[in-house]
Amino acid sequence: MAEFTATPETDVGSERYTFNFTIRDSPTYFINVQAWGREEYIRALSESFRVGDCVTIENPLIQSKEAEREEKFNPVTPSCYKLLLSENHSVVKTSSCYEADARLLSLLHLPVKDPQDYYSLGDIVANGQSLNGRILNVLAAVMSVGEPKYFMTSDKRKGQRCEVKLFDETERSFPIVCWDNESIQLAQSWIPQETVIFASDVRINFDKFRNCMTATVISKTIITTNPETAEANVLFSFIRDSAQSGALHDGMKEQANESMNYALNVSFILVETIVDVYTVEQLKEKALQGDGKADPVYGIIYGYISTLDIDDNVSKVMRNRCSICRLVVNEMSNTCTFCSDVSPESKSTFASFDILVDVTDHTGTLHSCYLSDCVAEETLGCTVHEFLMLEDDQKTALKWQLLLERSKIYFKVSI
């Protein structure tokens, strides 16, 4: 695993950057590595390899580690030492898949913890809030992988979040949240209903809004994909048997129905009941304090739309929606995944606005906000059909009627 951070170097008066990762060369031994240097060096190093790549490290400095302090935020390793990389003296070389030692590649499927030392998802749910804040190991199969969601922090740093749904013999759906780029990229490679993971040292929390237990990938976490252990083989057999019996399909449909009910329940909010006023800066700070919770925030911003590209390509401002649930349908198949059990004859799709806008006030800008469906029609003052009949210069004129005009903007943010 890897983490990219910046810390001030007071001796020089400039910033120096650090990059942390963990390497392994045997079933028993693995060690943490920390690189220091200029931003350009650290960024290039961090982008030169991914989790699972084989590397050769030349001229590292071997240093005793302060276990209590350093392992609070880094993986716990069996070694009493750590490796330090210097920009001027150390070299990291990456091996191609053809040059990699097969013995090293086999370690990718061996957990760093005792393969029997884990909690089942059912055990976590059963213990409930008594496990809140605990660091545990989890063995589970992947039910679904969500799309990464991007945001901007108050100090202009980009952030991202991805939620994965897990399952095992004891629980049909359990969320685990990834926040760092490396774990999110790893999650995107997982195949739903086929991949099994052993996640060591994930943090368990109770989500008050969803009233359920969740797991979070943290800087201590090491994830082993498709572990080759007896315990994982039992889970692989369960996946295969469940797929053959149709139980996985039922679980996916139940999960989709829960998602649809959640989406519909939070959508029908009377505008008159929204009274909390935020600045853009306050809203960004509130989003950062969410800690992975999906609690939507409703409020008002007094500002203006600073980006509104409705005179661009029509495909960028419209999406098809399901006529039954009004959710956006799959672009490739033009079908609704939430209404899959409804006969094709009784459902259809319709075109609706789905416009990305920027909202700005005196404290900053919220990028890539959605102005959608009926709200967009009311804002633009025309239906989709009427909009399609406009000439390009008419669309541009409509844009400038709304752009930079101070407005009272009602919003909903899912955190």
Side-chain angles (χ1 to χ4, degrees):
M1 299 302 293
E3 181 183 11
F4 186 85
T5 56
T7 56
E9 185 181 74
T10 54
D11 294 339
V12 181
S14 60
E15 282 190 328
R16 64 176 176 176
Y17 288 71
T18 66
F19 175 53
N20 303 302
F21 58 99
T22 305
I23 59 173
R24 186 183 196 182
D25 64 358
S26 76
T28 306
Y29 294 105
F30 51 101
I31 192 170
N32 291 326
V33 184
Q34 186 175 63
W36 293 81
R38 296 174 300 111
E39 178 179 3
E40 295 79 6
Y41 164 72
I42 293 298
R43 286 199 180 277
L45 178 63
S46 67
E47 294 171 359
S48 65
F49 58 89
R50 302 258 73 87
V51 168
D53 288 347
C54 292
V55 298
T56 301
I57 299 178
E58 299 177 359
N59 297 327
L61 175 65
I62 302 173
Q63 188 176 80
S64 297
K65 71 179 181 183
E66 300 176 39
E68 184 175 349
R69 181 177 66 86
E70 295 180 14
E71 292 182 347
K72 185 176 181 181
F73 301 106
N74 293 301
V76 178
T77 68
S79 175
C80 298
Y81 304 96
K82 63 179 180 180
L83 301 183
L84 295 180
L85 303 185
S86 163
E87 180 177 359
N88 296 323
H89 301 98
S90 306
V91 177
V92 179
K93 298 179 179 179
T94 305
S95 301
S96 71
C97 58
Y98 303 104
E99 300 171 325
D101 190 322
R103 291 172 298 177
L104 291 180
L105 294 177
S106 67
L107 299 177
L108 294 174
H109 303 290
L110 186 64
V112 296
K113 296 288 186 74
D114 181 347
Q116 297 181 332
D117 178 18
Y118 67 90
Y119 273 67
S120 71
L121 302 181
D123 287 339
I124 296 174
V125 172
N127 281 278
Q129 296 188 48
S130 65
L131 294 179
N132 188 49
R134 290 276 301 276
I135 306 297
L136 305 175
N137 306 325
V138 171
L139 173 69
V142 175
M143 175 64 79
S144 63
V145 180
E147 290 291 326
K149 296 182 178 179
Y150 302 92
F151 58 89
M152 186 76 73
T153 66
S154 58
D155 57 354
K156 308 301 182 185
R157 288 184 295 111
K158 295 180 180 179
Q160 54 188 328
R161 177 184 184 273
C162 175
E163 182 167 297
V164 176
K165 294 295 178 61
L166 305 177
F167 73 102
D168 63 8
E169 303 99 320
T170 63
E171 194 67 26
R172 279 191 173 188
S173 180
F174 187 93
I176 181 170
V177 181
C178 305
W179 291 94
D180 67 283
N181 182 61
E182 204 63 49
S183 64
I184 289 175
Q185 285 196 34
L186 181 63
Q188 297 302 307
S189 70
W190 295 338
I191 303 174
Q193 303 166 51
E194 292 185 20
T195 299
V196 170
I197 65 169
F198 186 100
S200 68
D201 291 337
V202 295
R203 189 178 67 233
I204 304 299
N205 289 110
F206 177 71
D207 188 323
K208 293 181 180 178
F209 179 76
R210 288 188 286 186
N211 194 33
C212 69
M213 303 302 293
T214 66
T216 303
V217 175
I218 58 177
S219 56
K220 292 170 61 69
T221 305
I222 293 180
I223 299 176
T224 303
T225 301
N226 292 332
E228 295 178 353
T229 64
E231 294 75 17
N233 288 338
V234 172
L235 191 50
F236 279 120
S237 297
F238 172 73
I239 295 174
R240 184 174 59 253
D241 294 343
S242 298
Q244 292 174 352
S245 67
L248 281 183
H249 175 74
D250 294 340
M252 286 292 286
K253 184 158 64 173
E254 180 180 306
Q255 182 178 317
N257 287 336
E258 289 175 358
S259 299
M260 182 178 72
N261 290 335
Y262 171 73
L264 295 178
N265 286 338
V266 299
S267 294
F268 295 117
I269 300 293
L270 293 175
V271 172
E272 292 80 6
T273 65
I274 302 175
V275 295
D276 294 331
V277 178
Y278 294 84
T279 65
V280 168
E281 184 177 31
Q282 289 171 336
L283 192 57
K284 289 180 178 180
E285 291 175 354
K286 192 172 186 67
L288 285 176
Q289 296 167 3
D291 194 28
K293 299 183 177 67
D295 190 350
V297 176
Y298 297 88
I300 299 168
I301 288 178
Y302 288 96
Y304 54 89
I305 296 175
S306 52
T307 299
L308 181 66
D309 294 329
I310 58 174
D311 51 353
D312 201 347
N313 193 319
V314 172
S315 64
K316 294 183 179 181
V317 299
M318 291 186 185
R319 301 279 291 278
N320 285 336
R321 292 179 180 270
C322 174
S323 58
I324 296 176
C325 67
R326 297 188 73 88
L327 296 179
V328 174
V329 301
N330 182 283
E331 290 186 17
M332 297 297 292
S333 63
N334 200 39
T335 57
C336 179
T337 56
F338 292 107
C339 300
S340 57
D341 54 341
V342 180
S343 63
E345 293 78 15
S346 61
K347 63 180 181 180
S348 60
T349 62
F350 66 94
S352 80
F353 287 115
D354 204 42
I355 308 168
L356 281 176
V357 303
D358 291 350
V359 175
T360 300
D361 70 0
H362 63 287
T363 65
T365 298
L366 288 175
H367 297 281
S368 300
C369 306
Y370 279 102
L371 180 63
S372 304
D373 204 11
C374 301
V375 177
E377 290 188 0
E378 184 177 344
T379 302
L380 298 176
C382 64
T383 65
V384 169
H385 177 71
E386 291 169 341
F387 179 81
L388 291 174
M389 300 297 290
L390 297 177
E391 300 291 339
D392 289 346
D393 58 342
Q394 292 176 305
K395 293 176 183 177
T396 301
L398 177 60
K399 176 175 82 171
W400 284 104
Q401 286 179 19
L402 300 170
L403 207 59
L404 306 181
E405 287 292 324
R406 182 167 173 79
S407 307
K408 181 179 182 181
I409 302 171
Y410 291 85
F411 68 82
K412 168 196 159 189
V413 175
S414 295
I415 298 177

